[in-house]
Amino acid sequence: MAIIKPMVRSSMCINSHPVGCAKDCERQIEYVLAQKAKRGIKSVKEGGNGPKLVLVLGCSTGYGLASRISAAFEYGADTLGVSFEKAATTNKGGTPGWYNNAAFDRAAEKAGLYSKTFSADAFSHETRAMMIEEIKKTGKKVDLVVYSLASPVRSDPDKIDPNSPDGAHVLYKSVIKPIGQTYSGLGLDIMTKTLKESTAEPATEEEIANTVKVMGGEDWKLWMDALSAADVLAEGCRTVAYSYIGPKLSHAIYRDGTIGQAKKDLEATAQVMDKELKAKLGGAAYVSVNKGLVTRSSAVIPIISIYLSILFKVMKAKGTHEGCIEQMERLFAERLYTGENFGPGVVPVDSENRIRVDDWEMADDVQAEVAKLMDGVTEENIAERGDLEGYKHDFLNINGFDVAGVDYNKDVTDMSSLD
């Protein structure tokens, strides 16, 4: 028996609360169901023409989980999910994603929705082969593939490490670093509400290449090529991956840094796949540029944490603030499925063929106000200029803490239970 409190080390929460994770997953489902009713969307069973079988790669947290919830509970889609998680046992906690997946599957079963979730290395050919067989078992073809993998490491499916005694595959590791010059900036320690100067040295060519290997478009294309070759993609199949651009003040460490190079590769890959899918299936490939949110990685990037806390305050005052589930529900309902009877419609894109659901964040009035508040921000005035409580809530929420309706003083007797 234990009372579980958040354990935060170096601006990262390293444990999770099973009941909190489940409760937050249920909150997201409730939001989507409310939006479904508000918009009058018909599910597949109700005669709607939305997605029927959706494969979500990286289904357990953030945008991947929110995408799966939107597809299943707003459009009635069957869903297959893949993520790599540490399972909970009676005495040991699992990853937040393990609890989220369990909560999703439980809710889907209760709602009469088909869902199957697999904990596996999504970068491996073996996992691709396994998922192709699972798709075939459904008797359907996939009409939407969501690519939302956010791992810091990737194993190369085609290269064995010559220095490995057990024949392990070559591992690539991503880094968050600037390119060409050192970057220094203030970061926010949300637990102590203090600002700390941090410096990131420029990345080496190898680090840049490795980050592109992990977070670029190569693995996404391997998936789509394998699914296409196996003839498990439906006519008109679409695929979407997620990216972020953000304000100019963060470009040196993000958009023009190692992560940005990977995202640019992702976007270039989308354009190649878009042409291929159009030619073969009348389908499409998109990158959706999403709003800045608190994630495990954004919490440790200089400037980003301060920017987000101020952004949240500005957007909440304007009534335009969104979290993961609000963003993905809007992506589905106002971008991907705007056609007849809530089916696929013409997708509005920018000049680079990207979907922009960061439009509210990047609005001129929002950015002007954020820039004004960012200018001269200090430890003394950050609480006044930023939404520290909102940022802290989101930071803890990722791991199932600070979730409404959860008694955090109650003993948890079984770490594998969602109740």
Side-chain angles (χ1 to χ4, degrees):
M1 295 177 67
I3 293 174
I4 305 172
K5 300 293 183 185
M7 297 169 60
V8 179
R9 304 283 186 274
S10 302
S11 292
M12 292 186 73
C13 188
I14 60 174
N15 66 335
S16 53
H17 198 287
V19 180
C21 288
K23 201 79 167 177
D24 191 63
C25 183
E26 291 163 7
R27 174 194 65 81
Q28 294 184 62
I29 291 170
E30 287 169 6
Y31 174 80
V32 160
L33 290 172
Q35 287 296 103
K36 177 183 186 300
K38 183 179 176 182
R39 295 181 188 272
I41 290 173
K42 292 181 180 179
S43 69
V44 173
K45 287 182 180 178
E46 295 164 338
N49 196 35
K52 296 169 182 64
L53 179 59
V54 178
L55 173 62
V56 184
L57 304 167
C59 66
S60 62
T61 59
Y63 284 128
L65 175 64
S67 299
R68 193 179 189 190
I69 289 171
S70 296
F73 288 91
E74 193 155 20
Y75 294 88
D78 295 344
T79 62
L80 292 165
V82 182
S83 63
F84 191 69
E85 307 298 335
K86 186 185 83 173
T89 65
T90 302
N91 300 319
K92 289 188 178 180
T95 55
W98 187 88
Y99 294 120
N100 292 339
N101 285 340
F104 175 89
D105 284 335
R106 181 174 72 173
E109 182 180 11
K110 186 177 179 181
L113 296 166
Y114 172 92
S115 73
K116 288 191 79 172
T117 308
F118 299 85
S119 181
D121 177 8
F123 296 124
S124 76
H125 291 319
E126 290 79 9
T127 299
R128 278 185 268 275
M130 176 179 71
M131 295 313 299
I132 286 167
E133 288 307 306
E134 287 297 328
I135 293 165
K136 289 178 178 178
K137 287 177 187 176
T138 69
K140 299 180 180 181
K141 292 188 178 183
V142 175
D143 49 17
L144 177 65
V145 179
V146 174
Y147 189 87
S148 186
L149 295 178
S151 171
V153 297
R154 175 189 168 205
S155 57
D156 192 315
D158 298 311
K159 289 185 181 178
I160 301 297
D161 184 351
N163 300 316
S164 171
D166 54 357
H169 288 255
V170 172
L171 274 181
Y172 304 107
K173 295 182 179 180
S174 65
V175 296
I176 303 171
K177 287 188 174 184
I179 294 174
Q181 58 186 358
T182 300
Y183 179 84
S184 295
L186 289 172
L188 171 64
D189 184 329
I190 194 59
M191 301 307 287
T192 61
K193 298 179 181 177
T194 57
L195 303 185
K196 295 180 181 178
E197 181 86 17
S198 60
T199 300
E201 296 300 323
T204 65
E205 288 300 319
E206 182 180 15
E207 287 175 325
I208 297 168
N210 286 352
T211 302
V212 172
K213 274 282 189 181
V214 175
M215 303 189 72
E218 183 178 87
D219 182 68
W220 184 22
K221 191 167 193 310
L222 284 173
W223 268 100
M224 296 308 297
D225 287 349
L227 295 168
S228 179
D231 193 27
V232 294
L233 297 179
E235 286 290 323
C237 177
R238 292 173 168 183
T239 184
V240 61
Y242 300 132
S243 186
Y244 181 64
I245 293 176
K248 287 183 179 179
L249 67 89
S250 70
H251 282 192
I253 188 69
Y254 196 91
R255 187 65 184 177
D256 296 333
T258 53
I259 299 295
Q261 295 308 300
K263 295 301 185 182
K264 289 169 188 174
D265 183 78
L266 188 78
E267 292 162 19
T269 302
Q271 297 208 20
V272 171
M273 292 197 302
D274 188 62
K275 292 175 183 175
E276 294 174 351
L277 283 168
K278 272 186 172 66
K280 186 171 182 179
L281 295 167
Y286 301 103
V287 164
S288 175
V289 182
N290 302 335
K291 172 181 177 286
L293 294 172
V294 180
T295 64
R296 291 173 71 88
S297 59
S298 67
V300 296
I301 305 174
I303 289 294
I304 291 288
S305 51
I306 297 174
Y307 165 77
L308 289 177
S309 71
I310 291 174
L311 175 73
F312 289 3
K313 186 160 190 173
V314 170
M315 293 189 74
K316 285 177 181 179
K318 293 180 180 293
T320 57
H321 177 71
E322 296 174 304
C324 277
I325 193 63
E326 292 85 3
Q327 279 265 288
M328 292 302 96
E329 192 279 333
R330 187 158 67 96
L331 171 67
F332 275 64
E334 298 183 11
R335 301 293 191 273
L336 294 175
Y337 297 101
T338 59
E340 185 180 353
N341 205 19
F342 312 106
V346 175
V347 178
V349 293
D350 67 8
S351 60
E352 302 294 321
N353 201 46
R354 300 173 300 205
I355 300 171
R356 302 300 294 266
V357 284
D358 65 339
D359 48 347
W360 295 354
E361 173 186 356
M362 300 310 295
D364 290 343
D365 60 330
V366 170
Q367 286 300 311
E369 199 166 332
V370 170
K372 185 178 177 182
L373 292 168
M374 287 286 294
D375 185 26
V377 68
T378 64
E379 196 167 291
E380 287 69 38
N381 63 28
I382 181 62
E384 178 187 343
R385 297 189 181 195
D387 177 21
L388 296 193
E389 290 309 310
Y391 185 100
K392 184 178 179 181
H393 166 77
D394 289 359
F395 173 79
L396 293 171
N397 201 243
I398 295 168
N399 289 56
F401 297 103
D402 201 29
V403 177
V406 179
D407 182 0
Y408 289 100
N409 293 313
K410 183 179 177 181
D411 279 333
V412 176
T413 57
D414 182 354
M415 292 297 292
S416 65
S417 173
L418 302 178
D419 300 308

